[in-house]
């Protein structure tokens, strides 16, 4: 492997809790990350699950880092810390913001004294707003994000996702924001303060209700029903001879292949079943028919037959099966590693491959530093290029965007929103799945959200001349983005090896479901199949005996996978600043999901059989879960993490006697008597609205969050105070859409513009003449030959 892209970047990590994985991702990409902890260690060292005396989440999140212990209340050690930060490029913190000003260690003070420093402050709710001093857990954030209201089965309580998914989203978005601000420093010479709200990272970045939707959105209602959607009909899970499989029939050709496999039953011959809504409406008749066909076949047989017929089918794997899966071993996703002295387990190595090699686990958290003397030579702040402070960081970059559906839209949007000239390369004969619209002559909201700030080039890359034109574009471009089946770019002669010959500085990001190495490398893959194959779906159930899955209405890991790829591309752009060379980036969505489930997979590796679906019950805390409140289908998520929070909760609900009861004295005691403590809390919440319960508990220091529905997000006082939403207009929309213009708040990077998403081929002439330098005659001939595809008259 060439040198990892962030090898020249120094990071001081003072995180403790949500977002701790940010520093790990930066370290995986090569950054020198020094973790600073107080004497006695950070609170996250006790984070469950704990196996063999080791906190598994802590060990995973802090691999590839080095450690130093400093008491910031002692003058000499505080001076040592300040000296350490003086030699750093990036500070990532979760605790310093609460320190008293005047000692020179708050994020604002550190940036003020070191103008080149990028200080990323991660907090549960952000540095401003009415909730800024509240506490959160994964379940609290998930409830308040609007996603919980869409998870679970109709008529049942809403269902929390498996542990790890929310923390991962926060860490990945924090890593992106840190590198975006650092890239801006390379352009301008100026650092800045970055405010990351864990809530907003999940609201806008996990599975945004007002953001790019999955293909199943074509079968959903446009209004906001109070009940949870019948997720089982979106991507059905069906029994087979040795377990369960999931099918994803999104394209007409996929349904036609299934129709033929079923023997072309007359009942489903009507063209209405060529559409997603048509099949959803007939699910009660169609799915049992398919399940009967599958009954005597194994998962592997069905997956193979589906691949042969062009029908996306995937097996539903349990965590124990994931750990022994040949594909994940051969691809390098799962490796055996020493997490702590004497503790070796099978772990997810890391998110991405750079130039064909995994940028992942190298070593466990290093032993105590001898001292930060090697950082005492404070780094000279780069003078900066020609970037003007306060401008968009990617101004002047050109990105050729071949990406499709959610992953592609999310990835390309990160660069378009921050100033890059992103050219969406598309062929009208094979349209992006996001361009499906329920109404003729209209625009799908997902396109408006996901394709904003781009230009569109209509071109047929299935022709020799089309590929020749693309290579001409790539010769002057900076980045190429794609997410097709592995080998697709190479088969067209536009893979990294070919493009780097004509442009050594090109960065090519190639995403897929399962990666280019291993027996599953050619599998058809969508997010629902990735969830099924990685253990996410098996854990997203109400309990271990539940045969249904409740993840069907959630778009995961598409958004996070696209964001992971964006971080890796940005890291490569940072490296190119000094070495002038490009890179090949590979991201498998399956790897993204497995990294998020790392804590559970490691626990299963160390203690086989211990990891099963637990629904809303946190096995390591009580009381915890989602509690019914006054009203129709109203809920509040609550987590009591320690004895102090238990005493606070008992006081708020008027039961101080519980805090003194020896049966509930410790976390272990409360877990043993879970039913009783949760019954008492449930009786209290049942008499209050979710907001009343949340507010009373939070003001007493107990993490709690009301379950918000999507319309509630637009009225939430905290999100309104932080200007979390604005409106996005488009001529083909019936009205403006709520949208986010930022996920993090930067002191020196402006919010994203809101230029309307282009229609297919809308900018073909402009790009052909101004970028490719074609004459009008050449342009007209290429249009006549079907190579270039301008906007069709009927679509304008």
């Amino acid at each position: 492997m060439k040198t990892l892209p962030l090898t020249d970047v120094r990071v001081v990590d003072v995180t403790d809790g949500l977002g701790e994985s940010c520093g790990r991702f930066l370290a995986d990409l090569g950054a020198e990350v020094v973790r600073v902890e107080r004497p006695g260690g950070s609170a996250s060292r006790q984070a469950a699950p704990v196996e063999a005396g080791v906190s598994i989440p802590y060990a995973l999140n802090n691999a590839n880092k080095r450690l130093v212990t400093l008491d910031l209340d002692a003058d000499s050690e505080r001076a040592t810390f300040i000296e350490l930060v003086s030699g750093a490029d990036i500070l990532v913190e979760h605790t310093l913001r609460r320190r008293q000003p005047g000692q020179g260690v708050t994020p604002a003070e550190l940036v003020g004294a070191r103008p080149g420093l990028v200080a990323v402050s991660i907090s549960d709710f952000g540095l401003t707003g009415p909730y800024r001093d509240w506490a959160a857990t994964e379940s609290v954030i998930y409830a308040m994000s609007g996603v919980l209201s869409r998870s679970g089965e109709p008529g049942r309580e809403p269902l929390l996702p498996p542990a790890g998914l929310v923390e991962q989203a926060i860490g990945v978005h924090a890593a992106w924001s840190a590198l975006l601000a650092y890239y801006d420093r390379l352009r301008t010479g100026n650092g800045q303060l970055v405010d990351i709200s864990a809530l907003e990272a999940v609201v806008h970045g996990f599975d945004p209700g007002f953001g790019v939707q999955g293909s199943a959105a074509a079968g959903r209602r446009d209004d906001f029903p109070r009940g949870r959607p019948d997720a089982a009909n979106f991507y059905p899970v069906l029994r087979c001879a040795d377990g369960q499989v999931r099918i994803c029939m999104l394209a007409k050709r996929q349904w036609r292949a299934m129709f033929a496999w079923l023997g072309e039953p007359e009942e489903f011959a009507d063209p209405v079943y060529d559409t997603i809504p048509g099949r959803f409406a007939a699910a009660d008749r169609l799915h049992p028919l398919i399940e009967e066909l599958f009954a005597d076949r194994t998962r592997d047989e069905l997956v193979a037959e589906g691949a042969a017929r062009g029908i996306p089918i995937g097996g539903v794997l349990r965590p124990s099966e994931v750990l022994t899966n040949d594909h994940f071993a051969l691809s390098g996703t799962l490796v055996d590693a020493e997490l702590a002295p004497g503790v070796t387990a099978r772990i997810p190595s890391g998110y991405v491959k750079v130039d064909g090699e995994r940028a992942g686990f190298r070593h466990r958290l290093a032993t105590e530093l001898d001292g930060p003397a090697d950082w005492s030579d404070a780094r000279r702040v780069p003078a900066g290029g020609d970037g003007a402070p306060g401008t968009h960081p990617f101004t002047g970059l050109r990105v050729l965007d071949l990406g499709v559906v959610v992953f592609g839209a999310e990835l390309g949007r990160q660069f378009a929103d921050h100033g890059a000239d992103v050219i969406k390369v598309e062929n009208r004969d094979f349209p992006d799945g996001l361009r499906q619209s329920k109404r003729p002559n209209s625009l799908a909201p997902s396109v408006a959200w996901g394709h904003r700030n781009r230009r569109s080039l209509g071109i047929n890359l299935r022709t020799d001349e089309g590929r020749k034109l693309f290579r001409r574009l790539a010769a002057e471009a900076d980045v190429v983005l794609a997410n097709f089946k592995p080998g697709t770019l190479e088969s067209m002669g536009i893979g990294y090896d070919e493009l780097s010959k004509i442009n050594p500085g090109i960065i090519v990001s190639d995403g897929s479901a399962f990666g280019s190495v291993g027996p599953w490398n050619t599998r058809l893959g969508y997010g629902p199949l990735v969830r099924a194959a990685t253990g996410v779906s098996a854990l997203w159930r109400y309990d271990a005996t539940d045969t249904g899955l409740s993840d069907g209405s959630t778009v995961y890991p598409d958004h996070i996978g696209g964001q992971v790829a964006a971080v890796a591309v940005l890291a490569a752009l940072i490296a190119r600043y000094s070495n002038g060379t490009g890179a090949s980036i590979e991201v498998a969505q399956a790897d993204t999901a497995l990294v998020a489930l790392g804590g559970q997979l490691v626990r299963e590796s160390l203690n086989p059989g211990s990891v099963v679906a637990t629904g809303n019950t946190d096995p390591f805390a009580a009381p915890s879960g989602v509690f019914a409140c006054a009203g129709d289908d109203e809920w509040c998520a609550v987590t009591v993490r320690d004895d102090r929070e238990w005493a606070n909760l008992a006081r708020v609900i008027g039961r101080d006697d519980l805090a003194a009861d020896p049966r509930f004295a410790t976390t272990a005691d409360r877990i043993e008597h879970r039913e009783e403590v949760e019954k008492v809390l449930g009786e209290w919440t049942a008499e209050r609205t979710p907001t009343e319960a949340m507010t009373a508990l939070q003001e007493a220091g107990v993490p709690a969050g009301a379950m918000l529905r999507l319309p509630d997000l637009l009225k939430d006082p905290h999100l309104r105070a932080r200007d979390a939403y604005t409106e996005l207009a488009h001529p083909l929309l019936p009205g403006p859409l709520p949208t986010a213009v930022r996920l993090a708040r930067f002191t020196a990077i402006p919010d994203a513009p809101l230029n309307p998403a282009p229609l297919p081929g809308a900018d073909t002439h402009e790009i052909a003449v101004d970028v490719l330098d074609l004459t009008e005659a050449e342009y007209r001939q290429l249009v006549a030959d079907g190579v270039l595809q301008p906007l069709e008259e009927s679509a304008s």
Side-chain angles (χ1 to χ4, degrees), residues 33-72:
V33 180
V34 173
R35 178 172 177 79
V36 178
E37 295 188 10
R38 65 178 186 267
S42 63
S44 61
R45 284 180 177 267
Q46 309 306 317
V50 175
E51 295 286 342
V54 176
S55 164
I56 300 307
Y58 175 86
L60 288 172
N61 286 338
N62 292 293
N64 294 340
K65 302 177 187 177
R66 295 190 298 158
L67 174 68
V68 61
T69 299
L70 293 172
D71 182 358
L72 298 189

Side-chain angles (χ1 to χ4, degrees), residues 104-139:
V105 295
T106 67
E109 289 173 327
L110 289 166
V111 171
R114 293 150 197 83
L117 178 68
V118 170
V120 181
S121 184
I122 306 173
S123 56
D124 295 345
F125 293 97
L127 299 179
T128 62
Y131 305 164
R132 63 185 178 276
D133 295 322
W134 285 10
T137 61
E138 283 197 289
S139 61

